[in-house]
Amino acid sequence: MATAERRFDVLRAIVSDYVATREPVGSNALAKRHDLGVSPATIRNDMAALEQAGLIYQPHTSAGRIPTVAGYRVFVDSLTQIKPMSDPEKRAVESFLAGAVDVEDVVERTVRLLAQLTRQVAIVQYPHFDSATLVRVELVDLGSDRTLVVVIMNDGTIEQRVISDFGVAGCAIDAVRDQINEVCHGQDLRDLPSLLSPLSLLGGPTEQQFRTAVCQTVVDLTNRSGEERIIVAGMANLARSNVDFTRSIVPVLDALEEQVTLLRLFSEIPRGDVTVSIGEENAHDGLAETAVVAGAYGAQGTNAHLAVVGPMRMDYQKAMSAVRAVGVYLTHFLHSKN
């Protein structure tokens, strides 16, 4: 085995052991735990060379070695293929997410699942639809002068709100529903205000009040002009990793609580399968001691990301595998709703 190849095997073994034990790794431990094919003395020489190259360091005298940011980067860059999730893990993902009824539900399930799979903080961005359309509007007469307005969009989102029907009869309610669906089915959400405006003017005064209330409610429920949303789970996992941070964990927590920071983080992630940023590669100072494993998901007309954030002492293969697999499932879910 060539010297460079053997030294990389030593580095990989150090990363693996340190991630598993949280303890600095010594040459004797490497010789016992890994079949490196050389003596502890040779391993010590290789560790000295890795330390000189800035890939590992000794946190204190008489201790073993731990990876540096550069060492983690070399290790991650060597993962040319992401280890796929096992069949039981895949079935668990499918089972956990299978019951989702709409985008809101699947995103909330996803962020909890990702935190559980990786034991890290999970972040999922709600999908931003560039060209979402209306599938159907349902009007349900609840009695007592109340009508339930249900709006279904092509991304799987279902929104609803109860309004007053001003005493309009059930057959008139059905007629308004049918007219809205005839005019607006398959139309871009951004075009609904102009499409619905003429419908609100039909009928007598009482019916016009009802039509105006229905049309305005549909516009309100389909309004996508608000800020993009992000959901976070697994903060307790980060708290349990407090010992992995040389500084206070507070800046990390502060950064994760700022939605603007997270949106900026996603905006800086290059397009690709799964990306990893380590330490000071993360632009935000609060994330300078963390690793971020991120990916994108979405069907046609969508743009969204998901990520896990944790200490640099992270099981990168597991995190990358989980981010990719969950992202693929989310994409399939959104595609099935179109």
Side-chain angles (χ1 to χ4, degrees), residues 1-16 30 34 36 46-47 49-50 55-56 70-80 317:
M1 181 186 298
T3 300
E5 184 179 351
R6 188 187 68 240
R7 287 176 179 170
F8 174 75
D9 287 344
V10 171
L11 173 64
R12 182 165 52 190
I14 291 172
V15 172
S16 175
L30 288 179
H34 302 272
L36 296 173
D46 289 338
M47 291 174 70
L50 292 170
L55 301 180
I56 59 176
Y72 282 123
R73 171 50 61 193
V74 169
F75 172 79
V76 169
D77 288 347
S78 73
L79 302 176
T80 55
Q317 284 186 307

Side-chain angles (χ1 to χ4, degrees), residues 43-64:
I43 294 175
R44 281 193 291 274
N45 290 335
D46 289 338
M47 291 174 70
L50 292 170
E51 188 169 9
Q52 187 174 8
L55 301 180
I56 59 176
Y57 74 99
Q58 188 176 32
H60 51 82
T61 307
S62 301

Side-chain angles (χ1 to χ4, degrees), residues 35 43 52 62 64 75 78 97 100-101 116 130 213 233 237-238 248 267 294 333:
D35 184 17
I43 294 175
Q52 187 174 8
S62 301
F75 172 79
S78 73
L97 299 180
V101 296
Q116 292 171 10
D130 298 327
N237 293 329
L238 189 66
S248 167
S267 71
F333 178 88

Side-chain angles (χ1 to χ4, degrees), residues 35-269:
D35 184 17
L36 296 173
V38 292
S39 67
T42 301
I43 294 175
R44 281 193 291 274
N45 290 335
D46 289 338
M47 291 174 70
L50 292 170
E51 188 169 9
Q52 187 174 8
L55 301 180
I56 59 176
Y57 74 99
Q58 188 176 32
H60 51 82
T61 307
S62 301
R65 304 299 191 275
I66 65 177
T68 63
V69 172
Y72 282 123
R73 171 50 61 193
V74 169
F75 172 79
V76 169
D77 288 347
S78 73
L79 302 176
T80 55
Q81 291 186 335
I82 302 175
K83 181 182 177 182
M85 300 182 77
S86 66
D87 288 338
E89 287 175 325
K90 290 179 181 178
R91 286 194 294 271
V93 170
E94 292 172 358
S95 175
F96 190 84
L97 299 180
V101 296
D102 56 27
V103 172
E104 189 93 16
D105 190 14
V106 79
V107 169
E108 291 178 357
R109 288 171 181 247
T110 295
V111 75
R112 296 198 307 271
L113 174 65
L114 200 54
Q116 292 171 10
L117 287 173
T118 63
R119 303 295 181 188
Q120 309 293 349
V121 176
I123 307 169
V124 178
Q125 181 182 23
Y126 284 86
H128 174 72
F129 293 84
D130 298 327
S131 57
T133 60
L134 182 72
V135 173
R136 185 166 182 80
V137 171
E138 292 290 348
L139 301 180
V140 182
D141 187 355
L142 301 178
S144 302
D145 290 338
R146 295 188 308 152
T147 295
L148 175 66
V149 181
V150 182
V151 178
I152 304 169
M153 287 154 274
N154 71 323
D155 57 19
T157 300
I158 301 173
E159 301 286 354
Q160 58 185 33
R161 183 181 299 171
V162 176
I163 64 170
S164 172
D165 60 25
F166 304 97
V168 174
C171 57
I173 293 175
D174 292 342
V176 172
R177 176 202 62 203
D178 293 343
Q179 289 173 353
I180 290 176
N181 286 320
E182 182 179 356
V183 172
C184 298
H185 170 71
Q187 298 298 318
D188 191 304
L189 300 184
R190 293 168 293 189
D191 296 332
L192 295 186
S194 60
L195 294 171
L196 290 169
S197 181
L199 297 181
S200 66
L201 302 177
L202 301 177
T206 299
E207 186 176 335
Q208 281 189 14
Q209 284 183 299
F210 174 65
R211 286 175 172 273
T212 299
V214 171
C215 292
Q216 186 58 53
T217 300
V218 172
V219 170
D220 291 344
L221 293 178
T222 56
N223 183 9
R224 296 292 180 85
S225 62
E227 291 185 354
E228 294 181 273
R229 293 185 296 155
I230 284 178
I231 186 170
V232 180
M235 297 291 271
N237 293 329
L238 189 66
R240 284 191 285 270
S241 302
N242 188 28
V243 296
D244 290 303
F245 298 97
T246 59
R247 301 186 300 178
S248 167
I249 196 174
V250 173
V252 183
L253 296 174
D254 288 343
L256 292 174
E257 288 180 356
E258 296 176 11
Q259 181 158 317
V260 173
T261 296
L262 300 181
L263 287 170
R264 186 181 301 117
L265 172 70
F266 282 143
S267 71
E268 294 168 350
I269 294 172

